[in-house]
Amino acid sequence: MAAPATAGSGEGPSDPLLDDLMPWSVRPLRTGRPWVTAPDAASLRARWDRLVRAGDAERERLFRPTRSRTPHTPVAALPGQDTGTGRFAREPGRCPEPVRILHGPYDEQWLLPDHRLIDAARPELWRVADAHQLFAVEHGRVPQDTGPALSVTALLPDGHSPAGRPGRIRPLYRRPGGLEPNLAPGLLALLRDRHGDAVGAESVLAWILAAARHSPAGCVVPLPADTARWSAGVDLGRELLRLQLRGARGGERPRLPGGRRPYVRAAVPPTPSDLSYDSEEEALILGTGRVSPVPAGAWEFRVGGVRMLELWFERRTAVAGTDGLEAVRPRVWPQEWTSELLELITLLALLAGLRPRQDELAHGPRIGAEELWAAGVLPVAAAARRPASVLDHQEEGPDGQFALL
């Protein structure tokens, strides 16, 4: 079968789509009710307590039923989570331990991992989430978007997009234990022929993280024909990956070079109401609080046209009403939020500093989609786009019933 004339991005050489290089993808989580996530775990426990103590009518209102979930919906347990499967209205059980997730790009938050509370939790992601897994998350694209096309995390991502259409979540491995890379069959062999036997799944992910870019056709990834450029891009991608993992897997937490670590110069007030930036002083101002130095690259860092620091602040200070569970939140600004803000500033500043090197990777001779078709890497077999069968044990079904899967 010949390659179609429209393969790739349609911009210069026909670069392959990420959708073909990492063919198995999962749609973003759909919680259905915002109160199941929060920037702090204590609020989630307090929301649970308020919900289970409420009377039947009040519990129904607080729950915020949807067509997918009500307090009476029977559901299976989330893989890997020890939570109840009895109908919530009848036996809510104990509060599940909140888990750390990535809420959209770069924002680490918390989630109540109870399938009875989440409209679409994507169990296939939970089945492969372990100490070996990495998730590539596409960012929604908007016109004239110059921000990164995707990010990578070791946390379970919800895939939320701050603007534009949400992208897909692409696990690096199709099975637990770092087994069966989620790469187009034949891609590793082709890249090893070009760039040496050291090419592995994580080096391919590193290249993708460094080189991926938006296009009207979707996220595209230029593949270099030159080994020196491949090696430089993989090294850059590994640095991007190290930064975005934020110390996970035994790595170092992000740190700005040359002693330019941001400090709190004036304490963040108990209830900061606004956020602004003083470019002359390189200072981030939170009400009467002040943090500096904050490089301009961190302040201007955008995904889908949205400033990440502004979005992070808004999610923690926006008025959430007075009678819903979303209103159960810290009354004053927690100290840990300040620590998280300092780390986010550092991360965004470092990522912004690497953007020029990423832009250079689009130049030079490439392995185009036509060559991938000729090598049999494309078209991708339909089986590679479906999750692998990892159900080698029983999972608890609705109302505590077990089925052999």
Side-chain angles (χ1 to χ4, degrees), residues 82-237:
D82 183 20
T83 56
T85 59
R87 305 189 189 209
F88 191 88
R90 189 170 62 218
E91 46 179 317
R94 60 178 176 80
C95 179
E97 188 61 27
V99 297
R100 198 69 155 154
I101 65 166
L102 191 71
H103 179 47
Y106 314 115
D107 188 354
E108 295 185 356
Q109 295 203 16
W110 297 89
L111 169 72
L112 285 172
D114 192 319
H115 211 178
R116 300 171 299 176
L117 310 180
I118 305 171
D119 279 11
R122 314 301 179 202
E124 59 270 40
L125 288 178
W126 297 78
R127 289 191 183 103
V128 299
D130 63 9
H132 302 275
Q133 187 64 269
L134 296 170
F135 298 97
V137 186
E138 294 179 56
H139 300 160
R141 178 181 180 271
V142 297
Q144 288 78 52
D145 188 357
T146 59
L150 76 160
S151 56
V152 172
T153 179
L155 299 175
L156 185 85
D158 65 8
H160 180 80
S161 179
R165 184 177 182 179
R168 309 279 291 195
I169 300 168
R170 300 181 187 274
L172 178 58
Y173 299 106
R174 292 166 50 81
R175 299 179 186 274
L179 301 177
E180 192 177 334
N182 178 25
L183 298 173
L187 178 62
L188 274 178
L190 182 147
L191 292 174
R192 284 169 179 162
D193 286 344
R194 284 298 189 104
H195 305 309
D197 292 340
V199 175
E202 289 206 16
S203 57
V204 174
L205 178 64
W207 173 268
I208 289 172
L209 180 59
R213 67 181 191 275
H214 293 294
S215 86
C219 183
V220 295
V221 183
L223 293 176
D226 176 69
T227 298
R229 194 159 61 92
W230 166 265
S231 298
V234 169
D235 287 344
L236 174 58

Side-chain angles (χ1 to χ4, degrees), residues 106 297-299 301 308-309 343-353:
Y106 314 115
W299 171 249
F301 197 98
M308 290 294 95
L309 286 177
E343 181 173 89
L344 181 60
I345 291 168
T346 301
L347 171 64
L348 297 181
L350 291 168
L351 294 179

Side-chain angles (χ1 to χ4, degrees), residues 305-318:
V306 178
R307 280 196 183 103
M308 290 294 95
L309 286 177
E310 286 185 320
L311 180 62
W312 184 93
F313 179 80
E314 178 184 327
R315 286 172 173 166
R316 286 153 179 78
T317 58

